[in-house]
Amino acid sequence: MPARLIVGIDGHPSGERALDFAVTQARLIGECDLVVAYIIEWSPYAFQTAEENAQRHRRREEEISTVQTRVITPAVERLSKEGLAATGIVRHGDVADALNTIAREQGATQIIVARASEGGFSKRIFGSSTHNLVRGADVPVTVVK
Amino acid sequence: MKKLAFATAASLAAAPASAQESLGLDARVNEIFAQATGPFVNFIFAPLYGTDFPWIVLWLVVAASVFSLYFGFVQFRYFGHAIRLVKGDYTNPNDAGEVSHFQALATALSGTVGLGNIAGVAVAVGIGGPGATFWMILAGLLGMASKFTECTLGVKYRNEYPDGSVSGGPMYYMSKGFRELGLPGGGLLAILFSVFCILGALGGGNMFQANQAHAQISGIVGDYPGWITGIVFAAVVFTVIVGGIKSIARVTEKVVPFMGILYVGAALIILIMEYDKIGWAFGQIFAGAFTGLGVAGGLVGALIQGFKRAAFSNEAGVGSAAIAHSAVRTNEPITEGFVSLLEPLIDTVVICTMTALVITISGQLIMDPATGRFVLNEAGSAISTIDGNTGVALTSAAFGTSIGWFPYVLAVAVVLFAFSTMISWSYYGLKAWTYLFGEGRVKELVFKVIFCGFIIVGAAANLGPVIDFSDAAIFSMAVVNIFALYFLMRLVRRELNSYGARLSRGEIARYKG
């Protein structure tokens, strides 16, 4: 059974660094496939207007489609060109929770993410998704600079 | 209420000429408005033959009782399940990104929690005495079953369009549900409901809000013409609903829950500070519920006020919640019914009771120490208060008795609640409008401009005519909605029996907890 790596990307250059590292790892492992995952930050406890709720299903489809076209498909194509087996997943949710869930569902041996380049005040206060992932993941996590 | 409307009109006519001149535009707006809406208000609040009891109040109470009995007190049997649904225990993780039960509930609550809880309760307690609170709580508990019925139907018969957007509400379950049962008249009911929903949106969802927001602001910065507040509010609402400046609405939607928590927190602090009076206050509530304690209209006055203000606050049976809840993502419409029954509980049983307790404990209502009965004002229409305050000003003064600076926070909360309720009701009204006239940019713009115009009228008019029209408009929605619910409730029971059986067999997938 081949090893499976989850690569969390966010459309920023940091995601590319995570992909680069994953490619290197996959080649070293040999029999290995990759799952490229993009998590759209979403909380079921956020407050919305009635109009936003009425449009939500449509917006969700648009969000998934946009990410699929602009981020996931190019990443999977790049990995395929490099001769690696790769698939893509787009989900809504809490980034750390969702990546960990995907890793469990896919039977992955490792999660690879890049350290977020953009810190910001809120991340300093509430902690970043990367920190939460490292703290709570069920499989080893590699954080690429 | 009818008497109050007449009293207001009479006092307006008797006002000295100089005072009328100083009121200027506001007085003219008020006079025209009171005359124009009088017949409609009088019909809705007409008393039952040979009594003082408005038929509409009986209509709401009977409906809530019938639904409670028909569904075997679903509000208590499925209360725990409702909490688990809101927590997301039964939400499929693959539906992440869709409207959750929590979000649908929060959106509906932000449309109902507001001035009804602050000003409406003060009106109820000011006229009906603390005893009105007992009837308000009872109405809240029974109203949970009405909300359950309408919101289940709202989701079951919503329209889902090819582009993924949804439209739901009583007009949809009236037309589709009646057709499914092979009953005639569903289309007509839907049209009637839509007309009343538009009036309700312009009344309780707009003018009452603008009116009380102005009362609150002018209470702090000093008296000034209401149309000025109206124009400012209208301009901001216009930028949101016409200009599409969603950021203002988003900020409000985030601040409003915070203000709600702050309001309940302040009420709790006051109750803790005055803990020795809580027992006495509940004594007043129970005694007043059955004796009236000398308030306007006695026992019946307390009951009428309690039920009226509860219905106005939590909107159970009115049909508005069915519009708000219909966007949830679920394959089981009844789950949203369970979630929605929490609304009257939070809105009325918890928040309204807090307000009523604070007002009662504050001593703002003047009581004759010799008799232990409340002292009525000169017209005999309400209990005298220390500064003659009514509505939101009475609540503000009551909170100010214990926390001196709280009226300022309350003023901000009232303005935000008013704004949030207006945004919600502009959507409900728009859905009814588009049901009647069809979708389209120009048609929608016409409604939105009318909606903004009524904000100015609401801020300029006196409380009496505005509150009468707002009540009448909201309750007229309930007339049509409840009539339809009596025919459609068997469809809900079918859903309830099926879901209940599957839940007890463990066939309803649980993902957490």
Side-chain angles (χ1 to χ4, degrees), chain B residues 144-169:
Chain B
M144 291 165 80
S146 306
K147 198 79 108 170
F148 160 78
T149 315
E150 62 191 0
C151 289
T152 302
L153 291 166
V155 177
K156 186 172 168 64
Y157 292 105
R158 64 186 170 186
N159 269 7
E160 292 184 58
Y161 300 106
D163 71 354
S165 60
V166 293
S167 276

Side-chain angles (χ1 to χ4, degrees), chain B residues 3-177:
Chain B
K3 282 180 187 160
L4 182 67
F6 286 143
T8 314
S11 63
L12 188 80
S18 57
Q20 288 227 0
E21 279 162 20
S22 69
L23 284 169
L25 184 62
D26 283 11
R28 280 200 294 279
V29 169
N30 192 47
E31 199 169 355
I32 294 165
F33 182 72
Q35 281 170 2
T37 57
F40 173 61
V41 171
N42 290 344
F43 168 70
I44 292 292
F45 293 114
L48 290 168
Y49 185 71
T51 68
D52 283 338
F53 202 96
W55 68 275
I56 187 71
V57 175
L58 193 70
W59 177 255
L60 287 162
V61 179
V62 168
S65 308
V66 167
F67 298 136
S68 294
L69 290 168
Y70 187 74
F71 296 113
F73 289 94
V74 63
Q75 61 266 59
F76 304 122
R77 287 195 296 134
Y78 282 87
F79 178 76
H81 188 63
I83 301 283
R84 286 190 284 278
L85 284 165
V86 173
K87 277 168 57 197
D89 290 1
Y90 292 89
T91 304
N92 188 337
N94 292 331
D95 285 340
E98 301 281 5
V99 178
S100 65
H101 284 303
F102 176 89
Q103 283 169 326
L105 177 67
T107 303
L109 266 174
S110 77
T112 58
V113 173
L115 285 169
N117 308 70
I118 301 172
V121 175
V123 171
V125 176
I127 297 173
T133 315
F134 175 86
W135 300 111
M136 208 153 46
I137 293 171
L138 186 66
L141 291 172
L142 291 173
M144 291 165 80
S146 306
K147 198 79 108 170
F148 160 78
T149 315
E150 62 191 0
C151 289
T152 302
L153 291 166
V155 177
K156 186 172 168 64
Y157 292 105
R158 64 186 170 186
N159 269 7
E160 292 184 58
Y161 300 106
D163 71 354
S165 60
V166 293
S167 276
M171 47 281 189
Y172 295 95
Y173 59 67
M174 284 166 185
S175 52
K176 289 186 189 175

Side-chain angles (χ1 to χ4, degrees), chain A residues 42-61 63 91-93 101 105, chain B residues 86-87 94 96-100 102-103 106-107 163-166 246 249-250 253-254 257 327 329 427 512:
Chain A
W42 167 259
S43 167
Y45 305 110
F47 291 95
Q48 302 200 111
T49 64
E51 197 174 357
E52 282 174 321
N53 283 350
Q55 302 292 328
R56 185 60 218 156
H57 180 66
R58 184 163 68 92
R59 295 255 182 274
R60 179 181 183 266
E61 300 299 308
E63 287 162 7
R91 284 226 182 131
H92 285 78
T101 305
E105 287 170 0
Chain B
V86 173
K87 277 168 57 197
N94 292 331
E98 301 281 5
V99 178
S100 65
F102 176 89
Q103 283 169 326
T107 303
D163 71 354
S165 60
V166 293
K246 301 282 183 229
R250 272 197 206 109
E253 293 311 309
K254 283 172 179 57
R329 191 71 182 170
Y427 178 75
K512 275 198 294 184

